[in-house]
């Protein structure tokens, strides 16, 4: 039994390395791809594979949320916008070299932070990681704290999103005069008798 | 993953899962062949035609003949197309619609408390929702990669349409999750045991909620039509305006994959409605002690029978809607999704949540 469980764990380790490789490669391709639509598609691959990594550590609820929210909604809008833009690919790549040092700097800081954090937390947290603390499933674990302990943060995040949405609407909403609009009430209240009338013309008479 | 380890402590479990996947694929492919024919036959009957009746007795082998024709035709890729994405799009559509079936429980297991399902996920409903929300990518990618106008218009329409209706589908699913207190599909099915009046569509065990859940059931059906791009919401491929929308440039095997994915998605939506609202594998009447002595395998098979009957019922409804209802205008479609379905389903979530808290059925 023990060595069989070991075999499954080995399977999980292989799965981790495969998924992690795909995440890193697709993340590199997001900035390296020549075509912006390809970039977004690689971004979607990175999101999706990250969801796979979350499943691997037992956080299946978060994984599904990642797919539903980021892949299913946010990335669709990205793709939607990028597809409709008329982008000059050559012009887009011209700033690449001048921004490169800055990008490398940010990347190096991120890497240093991750290395530091993972070495510091290696002994205390990693070995005892529990994806669903104090509950049967991690959906329940999140549900227990979301509306109690983190109520304020949760509501604040909601309000920020609402403000952002209203802001976007206010910035783009224009009232143009003289536009022909659909009046739904008028359309649905239209009856058969308003639309046509049956005539029975006698032969040779016409209407 | 933990489910996998629990249910198959043995490493041979890997091969069992592989076998189950193979079986599911085979059965699905075969049933799609006949469901396609059924769709065409129903459509024909409504129009007082005969429908396909040449290949095989009553045209039963028509789908197989079509299949052979699709496979043998030359794959044409337009010169301006983005080759990789063009080929990837139908493969993605078809794969996703197969993958979603992994979480659908089709029958009660021979051991009590289990069910016939490839992966008994704790977040089964969310998994289905996530996979079906990915379906839009096949269409967008196909439409964009074709690099021509009609497919692109179709892709844009479908992106907006599918994202819109996913929102109301999500809220409708939440009402079911609230009632059954779990996102595990098998638990949701077990919550509807004991006769057809306990099915979530009627939910007489939560009495006044029938006035909320039945409209939710109808709305889910309509949203499912929109989500699978079926008439009256087939604007992404509206053949009278966009020729065939995102599929214009496709032919041969890639087209076959698109069509296969589309029909698999329809059957998947039928299965989702069966599981969420119509009691899954439960028959219309609880037989209770009468079937106590039946061998467990027979009980499982009768569960499978009811599951298939319900899927066929929904498929029949899908086909009838296609035959009878004229296509929506695009602004009507958007209005229905955002201004009618979204507020109604949101109100339903509030009412059901209030009911659950007030009566304490879940605690």
């Amino acid at each position: 039994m023990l060595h069989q469980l070991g075999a499954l764990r080995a399977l999980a380790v292989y799965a981790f390395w495969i998924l992690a490789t795909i995440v890193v490669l697709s993340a590199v391709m997001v900035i390296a791809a020549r075509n912006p639509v390809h970039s977004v598609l690689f971004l979607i691959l990175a999101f999706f594979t990250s969801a796979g990594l979350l499943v691997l550590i037992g956080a299946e609820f978060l994984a599904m949320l990642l797919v539903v929210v980021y892949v299913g909604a946010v990335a669709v809008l990205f793709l939607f916008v990028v597809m409709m833009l008329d982008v000059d690919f050559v012009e887009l790549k011209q700033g690449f070299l001048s921004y490169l040092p800055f990008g490398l700097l940010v990347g190096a800081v991120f890497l240093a932070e991750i290395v530091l954090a993972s070495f510091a937390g290696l002994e205390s947290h990693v070995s005892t990681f529990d994806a669903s603390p104090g509950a049967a499933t991690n959906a329940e674990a999140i549900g227990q704290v979301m509306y109690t302990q983190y109520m304020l943060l949760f509501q604040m995040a909601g309000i920020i999103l609402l403000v952002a949405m209203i802001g976007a609407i206010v910035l783009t909403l224009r009232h143009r005069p003289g536009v022909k609009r659909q009046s739904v009430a008028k359309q649905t209240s239209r009856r058969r008798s308003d639309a046509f009338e049956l005539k029975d013309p006698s032969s040779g008479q016409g209407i | 993953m933990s489910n996998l380890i629990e249910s198959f402590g043995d490493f041979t479990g890997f091969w069992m899962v592989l076998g189950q996947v193979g079986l599911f694929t085979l059965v699905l492919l075969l049933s799609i062949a006949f469901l396609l024919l059924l769709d065409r036959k129903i459509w024909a009957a409504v129009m007082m035609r005969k429908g396909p009746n040449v290949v095989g007795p009553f045209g039963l082998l028509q789908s197989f003949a079509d299949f052979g024709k699709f496979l043998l035709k030359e794959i044409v890729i337009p010169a301006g197309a983005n080759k990789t994405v063009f080929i990837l799009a139908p493969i993605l559509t078809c794969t996703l619609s197969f993958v979603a079936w992994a979480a659908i429980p089709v029958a009660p297991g021979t051991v009590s408390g289990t069910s016939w399902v490839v992966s008994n996920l704790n977040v089964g409903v969310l998994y289905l929702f996530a996979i079906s929300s990915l379906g839009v990518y096949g269409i967008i990618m196909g439409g964009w990669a074709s690099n021509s106008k009609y497919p692109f218009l179709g892709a844009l329409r479908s992106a907006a349409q599918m994202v819109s209706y996913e929102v109301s589908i999500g809220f409708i699913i939440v009402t079911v999750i609230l009632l059954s207190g779990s996102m595990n599909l098998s638990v949701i099915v077990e919550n509807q045991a004991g006769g057809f009046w306990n099915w979530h569509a009627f939910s007489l065990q939560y009495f006044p909620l029938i006035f909320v859940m039945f409209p939710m059931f109808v709305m889910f059906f309509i949203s499912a039509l929109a989500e699978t791009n079926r008439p009256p919401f087939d604007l992404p491929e509206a053949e009278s305006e966009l020729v065939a929308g995102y599929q214009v440039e496709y032919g041969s095997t890639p087209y076959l994959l698109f069509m296969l994915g589309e029909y698999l998605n329809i059957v998947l939506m039928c299965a989702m409605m069966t599981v969420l609202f119509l009691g899954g594998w439960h028959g219309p009447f609880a037989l209770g002690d009468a079937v106590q002595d039946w061998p467990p395998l027979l009980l499982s098979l009768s569960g499978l029978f009811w599951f298939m009957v319900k899927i066929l019922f929904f498929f029949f409804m899908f086909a009838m809607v296609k035959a009878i209802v004229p296509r929506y205008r695009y602004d009507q479609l958007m209005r229905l999704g955002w201004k009618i379905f979204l507020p109604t389903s949101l109100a339903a979530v509030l009412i059901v949540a209030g009911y659950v808290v007030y009566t304490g059925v879940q605690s």
Side-chain angles (χ1 to χ4, degrees):
Chain A
M1 185 65 203
L2 210 106
H3 84 276
Q4 282 158 347
L5 256 178
L8 269 177
R9 208 154 281 156
L11 200 66
V13 170
Y14 287 132
F16 169 78
W17 283 112
I18 293 168
L19 291 178
T21 314
I22 297 175
V23 171
V24 172
L25 283 184
S26 54
V28 168
M29 285 309 288
V30 172
I31 48 172
R34 295 179 61 82
N35 189 326
V37 173
H38 289 177
S39 289
V40 179
L41 290 176
F42 276 115
L43 184 68
I44 292 161
L45 183 62
F47 280 151
F48 192 74
T49 324
S50 314
L53 285 175
L54 284 176
V55 170
L56 220 53
I57 58 168
E60 69 262 13
F61 181 68
L62 282 181
M64 292 306 143
L65 281 194
L66 185 72
V67 174
V68 170
V69 175
Y70 281 92
V71 186
V74 175
V76 172
L77 294 183
F78 271 8
L79 199 60
F80 204 69
V81 171
V82 169
M83 274 190 339
M84 290 209 280
L85 290 177
D86 186 21
V87 194
D88 185 359
F89 302 138
V90 183
E91 197 181 325
L92 203 72
K93 288 289 163 195
Q94 273 174 357
F96 185 71
L97 272 180
S98 56
Y99 291 122
L100 192 61
F102 185 69
L104 281 179
L105 185 71
V106 174
V109 171
F110 267 130
L111 188 67
E113 278 174 357
I114 289 173
V115 168
L116 211 66
S118 56
F119 272 115
L122 202 58
E123 276 148 25
S124 53
H125 299 300
V126 174
S127 53
T128 58
F129 178 76
D130 183 6
S132 41
T137 66
N138 55 67
E140 285 168 22
I142 290 174
Q144 278 167 2
V145 289
M146 197 170 201
Y147 285 100
T148 53
Q149 203 175 340
Y150 298 111
M151 181 69 180
L152 189 64
L153 292 174
F154 182 64
Q155 295 288 331
M156 267 163 58
I159 287 185
I160 291 171
L161 285 175
L162 184 68
V163 169
M165 193 177 81
I166 294 173
I169 293 173
V170 167
L171 283 178
T172 52
L173 187 69
R174 287 176 299 155
H175 286 288
R176 280 177 300 174
V179 180
K180 204 177 171 215
R181 291 185 188 282
Q182 311 276 353
S183 164
V184 177
K186 207 167 145 192
Q187 286 172 4
T188 48
S189 62
R190 197 160 173 247
R191 290 287 163 266
R192 186 170 176 269
S193 52
D194 307 332
F196 63 80
E197 185 183 357
L198 284 179
K199 293 273 190 190
D200 193 10
S202 47
S203 174
Q205 292 274 310
I207 297 172
Chain B
M1 208 59 198
S2 61
N3 265 314
L4 203 95
I5 297 170
E6 273 162 30
S7 48
F8 311 107
D10 211 0
F11 198 59
T12 50
F14 178 73
W15 299 107
M16 267 191 72
V17 171
L18 212 63
Q20 286 171 339
V21 170
L23 195 66
F24 257 86
T25 314
L26 193 71
V27 171
L28 277 175
L29 276 177
L30 268 179
S31 36
I32 288 297
F34 291 107
L35 284 173
L36 238 163
L37 181 75
L38 181 70
D39 196 32
R40 292 171 69 177
K41 280 281 190 188
I42 294 171
W43 206 10
V46 173
M47 295 174 171
M48 299 169 107
R49 291 185 285 118
K50 276 187 177 162
N53 64 348
V54 176
V55 189
F58 309 109
L60 275 177
L61 300 177
Q62 178 68 46
S63 299
F64 297 97
D66 289 344
F67 179 72
K69 196 176 82 176
F70 277 129
L71 280 192
L72 294 176
K73 278 198 170 182
E74 185 193 354
I75 298 177
V76 180
I77 299 177
N82 197 314
K83 268 205 188 83
T84 326
V85 182
F86 188 82
I87 295 291
L88 205 63
I91 297 176
L92 188 78
T93 306
C94 193
T95 315
L96 283 176
S97 42
F98 269 115
V99 162
W101 280 89
I104 300 269
V106 293
T110 43
V111 185
S112 75
T114 60
S115 52
W116 285 8
V117 53
V118 176
S119 175
N120 192 13
L121 291 169
N122 277 329
V123 287
V125 181
L126 265 185
Y127 173 79
L128 282 185
F129 186 58
I131 296 294
S132 71
S133 73
L134 291 183
V136 65
Y137 282 113
I139 294 176
I140 301 189
M141 283 162 69
W144 175 78
S146 300
N147 197 11
S148 87
K149 288 186 183 63
Y150 286 143
F152 190 61
L153 278 175
L156 289 184
R157 281 181 176 191
S158 83
Q161 171 180 339
M162 291 174 84
V163 169
S164 307
Y165 278 84
E166 251 157 42
V167 183
S168 57
I169 283 194
F171 280 122
I172 295 169
I173 289 178
V174 169
T175 60
V176 173
I177 295 174
L178 281 170
L179 280 185
S180 46
S182 172
M183 286 190 273
N184 187 318
L185 287 165
S186 304
V187 176
I188 290 178
V189 171
E190 275 312 323
N191 191 45
Q192 310 174 61
F196 72 90
W197 50 88
N198 278 354
W199 295 350
H200 281 147
F202 312 111
S203 47
L204 280 183
Q205 79 267 45
Y206 314 110
F207 168 61
L209 279 192
I210 183 176
F211 300 112
V212 177
M213 292 311 285
F214 194 74
M216 284 304 110
F217 170 54
V218 176
M219 274 170 58
F220 193 99
F221 180 75
I222 297 171
S223 303
L225 289 174
E227 189 72 8
T228 50
N229 300 323
R230 281 285 280 199
F233 305 112
D234 60 337
L235 288 134
E237 46 189 292
E239 59 267 347
S240 49
E241 315 159 22
L242 296 184
V243 193
Y246 62 94
Q247 315 173 325
V248 169
E249 307 289 350
Y250 283 90
S252 180
T253 319
Y255 175 76
L256 173 73
L257 290 177
F258 259 136
M259 201 169 69
L260 194 62
E262 198 176 304
Y263 272 85
L264 271 170
N265 267 330
I266 291 166
V267 184
L268 178 75
M269 278 294 168
C270 296
M272 260 176 98
M273 281 185 280
T274 306
V275 168
L276 295 178
F277 287 100
L278 232 51
W281 61 69
H282 292 298
F285 295 100
L287 295 178
D289 294 338
V291 293
Q292 205 83 84
D293 304 330
W294 286 18
L297 188 65
L298 196 62
L299 283 176
S300 293
L301 287 177
S302 75
L304 188 63
F305 169 76
W306 283 115
F307 189 79
M308 285 179 164
V309 166
K310 287 168 187 173
I311 284 189
L312 272 179
F313 166 73
F314 280 122
F315 192 82
F316 178 74
M317 298 285 285
F318 265 75
M320 287 303 276
V321 169
K322 178 181 179 177
I324 292 170
V325 186
R327 184 180 303 131
Y328 258 50
R329 214 171 53 205
Y330 199 71
D331 66 304
Q332 290 172 330
L333 171 93
M334 281 298 163
R335 183 174 168 275
L336 185 70
W338 288 108
K339 293 191 176 170
I340 299 175
F341 278 11
L342 181 60
T344 318
S345 54
L346 204 55
V349 169
L350 277 182
I351 294 170
V352 174
Y355 178 88
V356 168
V357 171
Y358 182 69
T359 59
V361 282
Q362 273 337 311
S363 58

